[in-house]
């Protein structure tokens, strides 16, 4: 008889101590980037007690584990990320980071702990599975393209006879109501691109600007021109965000420098808008510089693509969350988030969905709580078993025995 959602949730809560213990272990010892040996070892140790086929990455510290069900069938992927951020923790938690300048400020430690908990639940219910569950534990989500490395190493074909045909990921948020599951169809998170530009003029004495070619006012003009470009040329129903986040020029009060440096980000919600805005930023900056007889060197650093949820699977998450946690916990998000996610690479290849699990601490207003990436962020641990159960239930529904 298939496991009832209520029984699955009860099993997750009965195992909560192990879930929280692993989360805190990872939180104390964060690692950054693509190579996370200590974190990988903790994941491998947790998987070792389960009937999983485990492989590790050759180019990164990734972990892929396969659970085979009792009968043949398709392959469904569950994903967690495990890297931290270069942030010094000031949360005051008793299990705060012991590594100066590194912190699990985006909750990836909770993602790993929930995924491992889901692996335990599913391993105990192999007889209910017709197919395979792939547990994807990736490094390098925070700007290092970890998912892309794993895809290049054959992640989706780890079960050759049944390539991955669906995928699910869960992400915590300190600014959403604790225990709520938040998702939407279509664009869920933005594409993120970086740009850098250097204006080259001619330096001189600050008392004789006419004898120089001053890049500073031209840099200021570019900043304003980019804002006008967004508000006048970008369709509000296919939006973009262009931010100039860093300007650097000059060294003292009486010298006109010969260069000015600017960098920033572009966030978009469609491939078409992304290409258009990247080209537009370059065009505007180049022509403003040319109008003042300055040269411009431009560099575009392509980031993550748009995270696009499959509509049918997004609806399934909402219904599953309602069955597990109650209708009040199932929330259809009204709009995408302009942050970016490299789970987007997986969703480019297979239909899938990413959802957000609210983890605002008790007694804290979600509207003003320190957000993900803050040095002060704290995530409520109480709903982690709910996330464990949601991971497991999504796989059980995808692979009914």
């Amino acid at each position: 008889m298939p496991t009832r959602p209520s029984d699955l949730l009860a099993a997750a809560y009965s195992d909560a101590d192990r879930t929280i213990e692993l989360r805190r272990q990872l939180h104390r010892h964060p690692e950054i980037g693509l190579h996370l040996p200590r974190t990988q070892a903790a994941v491998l140790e947790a998987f070792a007690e389960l009937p999983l086929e485990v492989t590790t990455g050759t180019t990164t510290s990734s972990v892929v584990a396969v659970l085979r069900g009792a009968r043949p069938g398709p392959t469904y992927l569950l994903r967690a990320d495990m890297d931290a951020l270069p942030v010094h923790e000031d949360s005051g938690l008793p299990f705060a980071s012991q590594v100066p300048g590194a912190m699990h400020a985006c909750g990836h430690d909770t993602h790993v702990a929930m995924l491992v908990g889901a692996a335990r639940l599913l391993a105990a219910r192999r007889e209910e599975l017709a197919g395979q569950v792939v547990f994807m534990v990736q490094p390098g989500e925070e700007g290092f393209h970890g998912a892309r490395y794993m895809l290049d190493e054959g992640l989706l074909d780890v079960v050759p006879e049944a390539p991955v045909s669906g995928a699910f990921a869960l992400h915590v948020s300190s600014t959403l109501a604790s225990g709520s599951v938040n998702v939407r169809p279509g664009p869920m998170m933005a594409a993120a691109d970086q740009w850098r530009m250097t204006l080259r003029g001619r330096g001189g004495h600050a008392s004789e600007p006419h004898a120089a070619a001053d890049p500073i006012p031209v840099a200021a003009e570019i900043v304003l021109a980019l804002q006008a470009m967004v508000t006048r040329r970008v369709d509000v129903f296919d939006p973009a965000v262009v931010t100039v986040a860093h300007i650097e020029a000059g060294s003292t009060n009486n010298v006109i420098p010969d260069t000015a440096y600017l960098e920033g980000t572009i966030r978009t919600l469609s491939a078409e808008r992304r290409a258009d805005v990247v080209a537009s930023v370059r065009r505007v900056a180049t022509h403003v510089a040319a109008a003042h007889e300055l040269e411009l060197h431009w560099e575009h650093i392509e980031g993550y693509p748009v995270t696009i949820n499959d509509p049918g699977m997004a609806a399934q998450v909402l219904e599953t969350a309602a069955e597990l946690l109650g209708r009040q916990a199932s929330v259809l998000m009204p709009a995408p988030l302009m942050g970016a996610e490299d789970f987007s690479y997986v969703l480019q290849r297979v239909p899938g969905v990413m959802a957000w699990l609210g983890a605002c601490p008790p007694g804290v207003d979600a509207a003003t709580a320190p957000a993900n990436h803050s040095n002060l962020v704290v995530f409520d641990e109480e709903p982690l078993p709910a996330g464990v159960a949601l991971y497991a239930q999504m796989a059980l529904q995808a692979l009914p025995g």
Side-chain angles (χ1 to χ4, degrees):
M1 179 178 176
T3 302
R4 295 180 302 178
S6 59
D7 293 336
L8 193 68
L9 185 63
Y13 271 98
S14 70
D15 194 38
D17 287 348
R18 284 201 289 178
T19 299
I20 292 172
E21 179 184 1
L22 178 58
R23 183 264 164 142
R24 294 184 177 186
Q25 175 189 346
L26 298 175
H27 195 88
R28 289 188 185 97
H29 305 287
E31 296 175 295
I32 297 167
L34 293 168
H35 303 287
L36 320 175
R38 184 165 186 160
T39 308
Q40 183 189 55
V43 173
L44 293 174
E45 182 181 0
F47 279 162
E49 63 186 53
L50 302 175
L52 303 173
E53 300 168 11
V54 180
T55 57
T56 56
T58 58
T59 57
T60 74
S61 295
S62 64
V63 178
V64 177
V66 178
L67 174 68
R68 293 186 179 270
R71 288 163 293 284
T75 301
Y76 192 75
L77 182 147
L78 300 176
R79 174 269 203 171
D81 40 8
M82 58 178 171
D83 58 319
L85 284 158
V87 173
H88 182 79
E89 181 163 1
D90 294 306
S91 68
L93 290 169
F95 52 90
S97 171
Q98 298 176 8
V99 181
M103 176 188 177
H104 271 295
C106 202
H108 296 184
D109 52 337
T110 70
H111 304 166
V112 174
M114 289 189 293
L115 189 69
V116 169
R120 287 194 290 264
L121 291 187
L122 291 168
R125 292 160 178 79
R126 293 175 67 188
E127 291 300 318
E128 298 181 32
L129 294 171
Q132 300 72 225
V133 182
V134 172
F135 300 96
M136 171 191 180
V137 191
Q138 70 153 97
E141 192 283 323
E142 296 291 355
F144 294 90
H145 303 267
R148 193 172 66 191
Y149 284 94
M150 295 183 73
L151 289 167
D152 289 345
E153 291 185 6
L155 169 70
L156 301 182
D157 298 310
V158 67
V159 182
E161 69 275 18
V164 171
S165 57
F168 175 64
L170 195 57
H171 201 304
V172 297
S173 171
S174 64
T175 58
L176 294 170
S178 187
S180 64
V181 176
N182 305 261
V183 72
R184 73 184 309 275
M188 177 72 172
M189 298 184 73
D193 292 280
Q194 301 174 52
W195 54 263
R196 302 168 184 157
M197 59 181 76
T198 301
L199 284 163
R200 301 191 183 280
R202 186 172 62 256
H205 199 287
S207 66
E208 296 181 325
H210 62 282
D214 190 348
I216 291 178
V218 180
E221 189 172 330
I222 287 173
V223 172
L224 296 177
L226 292 178
Q227 306 314 303
M229 180 270 292
V230 171
T231 60
R232 299 296 89 186
R233 296 186 58 84
V234 173
D235 185 345
V236 296
F237 297 105
D238 187 9
V241 173
V242 176
T243 297
V244 181
H246 179 197
I247 301 178
E248 189 172 334
S251 59
T252 188
N253 72 298
N254 62 351
V255 175
I256 292 174
D258 57 1
T259 61
Y261 174 80
L262 302 87
E263 65 176 328
T265 184
I266 297 168
R267 305 295 172 116
T268 48
L269 292 170
S270 71
E272 296 77 16
R273 179 61 62 212
R274 183 185 194 183
D276 172 66
V277 174
V278 169
S280 295
V281 170
R282 181 176 188 173
R283 182 182 65 252
V284 167
T286 299
H287 286 284
V288 170
H292 296 278
E293 299 184 335
L294 270 66
E295 296 180 1
L296 183 131
H297 173 74
W298 156 268
E299 183 181 4
H300 168 227
I301 303 94
E302 186 174 290
Y304 299 155
V306 184
T307 302
I308 300 178
N309 283 341
D310 178 81
M313 294 184 72
Q316 182 187 7
V317 170
L318 289 170
E319 189 58 36
T320 302
E323 291 175 0
L324 275 172
L325 308 172
R327 185 63 61 181
Q328 78 289 343
S330 179
V331 180
L332 175 64
M333 297 177 67
L337 302 173
M338 298 308 283
E341 245 289 345
D342 80 344
F343 188 58
S344 54
Y345 290 123
V346 176
L347 298 184
Q348 283 185 323
R349 303 274 293 274
V350 298
V353 60
M354 165 171 274
W356 286 79
L357 177 65
C360 182
V364 177
D365 183 355
T368 57
N372 292 34
H373 289 219
S374 167
N375 62 319
L376 301 172
V377 69
V378 173
F379 299 102
D380 186 12
E381 293 177 327
E382 197 282 331
L384 297 188
V388 170
L390 181 58
Y391 266 128
Q393 183 69 3
M394 289 296 293
L396 287 168
Q397 290 178 161
L399 309 172

